[in-house]
Amino acid sequence: MGQTLTYRILSAHLVDGKIAAGEQIGIRIDQTLTQDATGTTAFLLFESMGAGRVRTELSVSYIDHNMSQFGPENHNDHLYLQTVAAKSGLYHSRAGNGICHQVHLERFGRPGATLLGSDSHTPTCGGIGMLAIGAGGLDVAVAMAAGPFYLTCPKVLGVKLTGHLGDWVAVKDVILKLLGQLSTKGNVGWAVEYFGEGAKQLSVPQRATITNMGAELGVTTSIFASDEQTRKFLAAQKREKDYQPLAADADAEYERIIEINLAELEPMAACPSSPDNVKTVAEIAGVQIGQVVVGSCTNSSFDDLMMVAKILRGGRINNMVEFAVAPGSREVLNMLAENGALADMISAGARILESACGPCIGQGFSPAGGVVSLRTFNRNFAGRSGTTDDQVYLVSPETAVASVLTGRITDPRDLPKLFGIEYPRMELPDEFIVNDSLMEEPLSEEEAANVQVLRAPTIVVPQVPPPLPKALQGKVLIKCGDKVTTDHIMPAGSFLKLRSNVPEYAKAVFNCFNEQGRPTFAERAIELKQKGIAGVIVAGVSYGQGSSREHAALCPMHLGVRAVIAKSIERIHKANLINFCIVPIEFAEPADYDKIKPDDLLQIDNLLEVIKAGDKVKIVNKTGSYEFVGRLVLSERDRQILLSAGLLNYTRRKTDG
Ligand code: MIC
Ligand code: SF4
C-alpha cells in the first residue's frame, strides 16, 4: 500500500518513533513562525534556554496581532521582537507587513517542508504542500533550537473533491460544509488531505482558505498536493526555485474518505457562536445586519479582495451597514493600490484597515451589542469580537459583499438579479508585486553581536513551574461545560496587550465566567495557592479548542492550577498543559463529570507514581466522599516533562546531559 502525502513528509522528517497512526513521533522542523501575541513568551523562553541563534532552515518572527498601540505595551513588544530576532538570526516581519499565515504563504512556504508555528492557523501553508502544524510557543522555541517536535502520528482523512464550484460559491463554503459535517470537536489525532479533480482546479490561495480552517476542525494539519497550481503560484511570487511536485502515492491508504462534489455546494454561513453552527445562506437570508468585515488569515488574499472590489465597482454599500476591509498582506494592499481595486472599494464606502489580524482578535471594530456582524474570518466564539452579546456569522467574501450591498444576509447568487452584477471570473496574476519593504533579513553572526536586545519593563520573564507534589490536594476552582475555548480561558481583545506580562494577564483567567460581586477566578486561585492547595479545572468535551495561546496553560499555572480533569482535551492545549506542568486527566467514566461540583476538595495520593508508569489515577472526592477514576493519556516523553516540572526544565536537563 502506498503512502499518503502526510506520511511521506512525516517519514522524510522522522527522527524518533515510527510512522503509524497513534504512535508518538519526533520530527525535524525546517521552518518556524511566531507572531507577536505568542512570540514574546516564545522568545523569552528561547532566551532562557540559552539557545543562541536559531538552527532551522529559516525562522520568521511576525508582528500582526497586537498593533493597536494604545499605551506603550505593543510597541515595547515590537522592539523586543525586532531586536531579539536580529540577535538570534531570524527574519522579522514588521508591523504592517501582514498576517503571518498570508505572508508566509507568499514569501516562504515550500512544498515538502515542515513548518511549526505558534499559532493554530499555521496549517494555512498546507495550501502550498507543506506539512504545517500549530503549537504552543515553547514547542516552537525548542524547534528553533533544532529540537525535534513531538506529536501523535495522525490518522489521515482523505477529502476527495469532485466537480466544479458554481458561480458565487466559494472555497469558504467547502470548509464550512465540512465543519458542519465533522464539527469542531472529536477530530483530535486526524490530519486531512484534499485531492481529486476538484482540488486540482483550486489556486494556492483558495487551497489555503481550506487548510486554514482545518484549525477549527481541531485536526493536526491539512494539506493539498504540490502541482501545477503550486508551481504557478510560486512562479508568480518569483520563487519558482522552491517548487517541487509532490503528491500521495496513487494507491495511498486513507483511514476514511469523504467525498464532496463542489458542483452541489451552495453558499454557507457559520452562525453564532461556533464555526460548526453551519447553515446555508439561503436558510438565513433576509436577517438584518449592521456590520461586514472582510479580512483575516482565512480570506484576505489578492483573489479574495479582487472579488470584493469587482463586485463593488460603481456600487455603494448599504447605509445601515459599516464595512471594513483588512488586506492580508502589504503585497496584497500594494497590488490593490496599483490596479485601482482599492479605489473601487473606497468609493463604495469601505473603511480600509491595516494589513493585520485586527477585528479578528478583537482589536477594534467591535460591533454594537446584538448587532449582526458578517465576517470572512474563521472564528465566531461568543465575545471574541470584543462585544459580549455579539452575533457573528462567518461567510465567504462573496456572501459578505452581497450582504453589504443590501443590508441583509444575502445569497450572492442573487446579485445578478438584484443589481445586474455578473460573476467576476478570477485568474491568478502572472506576477505578484513583491513588497519586502517591511521584511528584515537575518543578520550575520558578526552583525548580530552588536545588537542590543530591548526589553522594556512591560515584558516580564514568565515563572518556571514548580515541581509536582507527590500527592495532590486540590480544589475545583471552576466546572465548565463542553467546547470551552482558549478564548474563554484567556481572553484576547483589550487584554491582548498583556501577553508579555503573565502576572498581570493571569488576573483575567476565565474572565468571561467571572460574576459581579463574587471573587474572580484569579482571586480564588491565589487564595488557595497561599494555603498550599492546588487549583483544579473541571471541564466537558473538547476543552481548550481554538487558539494555540499557551497563556491558557501558563497563566493558570501561575495561579497555582496543577490539574485539568475533562471529558476530552484538544491537542495543542493538552501539549501546552504538559509543557507548563499541569496534569491533563480525562474522566474514565463521563458520568463522573456530572457528580463533581465546584469547590469540591480532591485528593490524588500517588500522583508522581502514576505519572511515572500508570494510565489510571484514583481521585478521591473528599467533599462528596466518593472515588472516581481518571485516565492519563501520556507518552513517555510527556511523563518525563511532567516529572521534570515542565518542558523548559526538561530541555535544560537534556542539554546539560
Ligand atoms: C487566534 O486566532 O485566536 C490567534 C490569536 O491567532 C491565536 C494565537 C494567539 O492567541 O495569540 C491562535 O489561533 O493560535
Ligand atoms: Fe490573526 Fe485571526 Fe488569523 Fe488568528 S485567526 S492569526 S487572530 S487573522
Side-chain angles (χ1 to χ4, degrees):
M1 265 301 164
Q3 267 188 324
T4 61
L5 179 54
T6 310
Y7 282 12
R8 281 186 83 162
I9 304 180
L10 284 175
S11 306
H13 290 82
L14 191 71
V15 292
D16 199 1
K18 74 168 202 290
I19 301 290
E23 292 286 319
Q24 273 294 306
I25 52 171
I27 57 167
R28 181 170 43 80
I29 295 298
D30 298 320
Q31 302 187 356
T32 67
L33 72 78
T34 48
Q35 41 88 340
D36 53 315
T38 54
T40 47
T41 322
F43 282 99
L44 289 170
L45 297 167
F46 179 75
E47 284 189 291
S48 39
M49 276 161 28
R53 286 172 69 82
V54 288
R55 284 157 58 201
T56 48
E57 157 193 314
L58 70 87
S59 287
V60 193
S61 165
Y62 291 91
I63 310 275
D64 53 2
H65 283 64
N66 254 323
M67 289 173 41
S68 314
Q69 299 187 216
F70 291 113
E73 295 87 348
N74 295 172
H75 198 214
N76 282 343
D77 286 354
H78 301 173
L79 292 172
Y80 168 63
L81 290 170
Q82 185 176 27
T83 50
V84 79
K87 188 97 200 158
S88 320
L90 285 95
Y91 282 89
H92 177 67
S93 174
R94 298 179 61 189
N97 197 40
I99 306 173
C100 55
H101 310 302
Q102 177 67 26
V103 179
H104 210 86
L105 192 74
E106 291 168 355
R107 306 305 308 134
F108 300 111
R110 173 170 79 73
T114 50
L115 168 70
L116 192 73
S118 62
D119 192 283
S120 63
H121 291 102
T122 303
T124 309
C125 277
I128 205 165
M130 265 192 128
L131 195 96
I133 304 177
L138 185 47
D139 278 320
V140 178
V142 169
M144 287 194 287
F149 174 63
Y150 283 84
L151 73 158
T152 306
C153 183
K155 293 176 269 189
V156 185
L157 165 70
V159 177
K160 183 172 180 188
L161 302 177
T162 61
H164 279 260
L165 283 174
D167 288 357
W168 305 107
V169 183
V171 282
K172 180 66 160 276
D173 303 316
V174 179
I175 187 67
L176 288 176
K177 173 83 185 172
L178 202 59
L179 270 154
Q181 208 170 322
L182 297 177
S183 91
T184 58
K185 58 181 193 326
N187 303 315
V188 172
W190 287 86
V192 189
E193 229 171 276
Y194 295 86
F195 56 87
E197 284 309 308
K200 282 195 187 142
Q201 305 146 28
L202 304 178
S203 68
V204 165
Q206 286 181 309
R207 294 172 179 183
T209 293
I210 295 180
T211 52
N212 172 280
M213 281 192 82
E216 281 46 71
L217 291 169
V219 296
T220 305
T221 190
S222 305
I223 193 166
F224 278 81
S226 167
D227 55 14
E228 186 50 22
Q229 296 280 2
T230 324
R231 194 201 56 74
K232 258 178 28 201
F233 179 78
L234 282 166
Q237 290 289 346
K238 304 183 180 66
R239 306 200 281 125
E240 198 171 348
K241 62 172 184 7
D242 287 338
Y243 174 66
Q244 60 158 315
L246 211 59
D249 293 333
D251 57 348
E253 196 180 1
Y254 293 92
E255 189 84 20
R256 179 181 172 201
I257 292 186
I258 293 180
E259 195 166 318
I260 298 182
N261 182 350
L262 300 180
E264 285 169 6
L265 283 184
E266 50 180 312
M268 313 290 287
C271 303
S273 291
S274 177
D276 60 6
N277 186 14
V278 174
K279 298 205 168 111
T280 63
V281 171
E283 279 175 277
I284 52 170
V287 171
Q288 200 177 341
I289 61 170
Q291 186 185 66
V292 172
V293 193
V294 174
S296 95
C297 54
T298 315
N299 276 123
S300 59
S301 67
F302 177 69
D303 296 30
D304 287 329
L305 299 198
M306 280 310 292
M307 173 63 73
V308 169
K310 284 188 176 175
I311 297 172
L312 283 180
R313 182 167 295 163
R316 190 172 160 179
I317 65 165
N318 182 279
N319 276 351
M320 294 310 291
V321 186
E322 60 170 14
F323 180 43
V325 177
S329 68
R330 183 152 282 252
E331 176 178 297
V332 172
L333 180 58
N334 210 155
M335 304 251 311
L336 299 173
E338 293 246 339
N339 73 8
L342 192 61
D344 290 333
M345 293 194 269
I346 293 171
S347 53
R351 291 165 65 181
I352 307 299
L353 305 182
E354 269 201 282
S355 293
C357 300
C360 179
I361 193 62
Q363 301 304 291
F365 245 75
S366 303
V371 159
V372 169
S373 174
L374 252 57
R375 297 172 165 216
T376 63
F377 303 173
N378 47 40
R379 291 187 172 143
N380 58 347
F381 306 142
R384 180 172 159 104
S385 67
T387 299
T388 316
D389 53 343
D390 59 9
Q391 294 292 312
V392 176
Y393 291 70
L394 308 174
V395 294
S396 68
E398 287 82 340
T399 302
V401 75
S403 309
V404 86
L405 289 172
T406 62
R408 296 181 176 275
I409 295 183
T410 301
D411 189 324
R413 292 173 299 182
D414 292 342
L415 281 174
K417 186 174 72 203
L418 290 173
F419 300 102
I421 299 174
E422 289 306 313
Y423 180 66
R425 308 244 157 246
M426 304 300 290
E427 281 287 328
L428 194 78
D430 292 334
E431 241 179 63
F432 286 94
I433 302 170
V434 174
N435 182 331
D436 280 339
S437 54
L438 292 181
M439 179 66 81
E440 294 181 347
E441 301 229 344
L443 295 187
S444 69
E445 231 169 313
E446 298 79 66
E447 290 165 326
N450 301 321
V451 173
Q452 198 203 342
V453 177
L454 300 175
R455 196 189 297 138
T458 52
I459 300 171
V460 179
V461 183
Q463 171 207 345
V464 179
L468 285 168
K470 262 199 194 131
L472 184 93
Q473 214 197 15
K475 194 165 180 175
V476 178
L477 278 168
I478 191 166
K479 179 179 175 184
C480 26
D482 291 342
K483 298 200 330 190
V484 165
T485 70
T486 44
D487 274 72
H488 291 109
I489 308 170
M490 284 320 301
S494 55
F495 294 96
L496 196 65
K497 67 177 186 180
L498 298 176
R499 283 288 176 88
S500 310
N501 189 342
V502 169
E504 277 307 306
Y505 193 27
K507 292 179 185 160
V509 175
F510 283 121
N511 191 53
C512 63
F513 296 139
N514 285 332
E515 288 164 31
Q516 256 200 336
R518 279 202 63 207
T520 63
F521 179 94
E523 285 163 350
R524 287 181 284 123
I526 294 283
E527 199 189 321
L528 269 191
K529 192 178 170 186
Q530 281 159 355
K531 290 184 190 151
I533 302 173
V536 176
I537 293 168
V538 170
V541 295
S542 193
Y543 181 70
Q545 282 194 359
S547 155
S548 65
R549 59 192 72 155
E550 62 196 336
H551 296 80
L554 179 52
C555 291
M557 179 279 285
H558 179 85
L559 297 176
V561 171
R562 303 312 315 257
V564 167
I565 313 177
K567 288 188 190 167
S568 63
I569 307 177
E570 291 294 308
R571 174 187 68 88
I572 304 180
H573 187 58
K574 181 172 168 190
N576 286 335
L577 290 173
I578 294 167
N579 289 350
F580 291 100
C581 204
I582 296 180
V583 189
I585 304 175
E586 288 172 25
F587 286 101
E589 286 303 326
D592 287 324
Y593 167 86
D594 300 328
K595 283 202 250 163
I596 203 161
K597 291 199 231 20
D599 292 331
D600 279 359
L601 201 59
L602 308 178
Q603 175 93 24
I604 302 177
D605 283 327
N606 53 350
L607 183 69
L608 290 188
E609 263 169 60
V610 200
I611 292 177
K612 259 182 221 147
D615 51 12
K616 293 223 164 68
V617 59
K618 189 176 83 181
I619 304 170
V620 182
N621 186 330
K622 300 199 96 155
T623 315
S625 309
Y626 66 92
E627 286 174 16
F628 65 99
V629 177
R631 290 195 320 134
L632 290 183
V633 186
L634 300 172
S635 69
E636 187 43 42
R637 180 173 176 271
D638 294 337
R639 294 176 195 274
Q640 290 310 321
I641 295 174
L642 286 171
L643 295 170
S644 312
L647 180 60
L648 190 60
N649 282 330
Y650 170 82
T651 311
R652 279 185 186 146
R653 262 178 223 172
K654 280 198 82 164
T655 339
D656 295 348

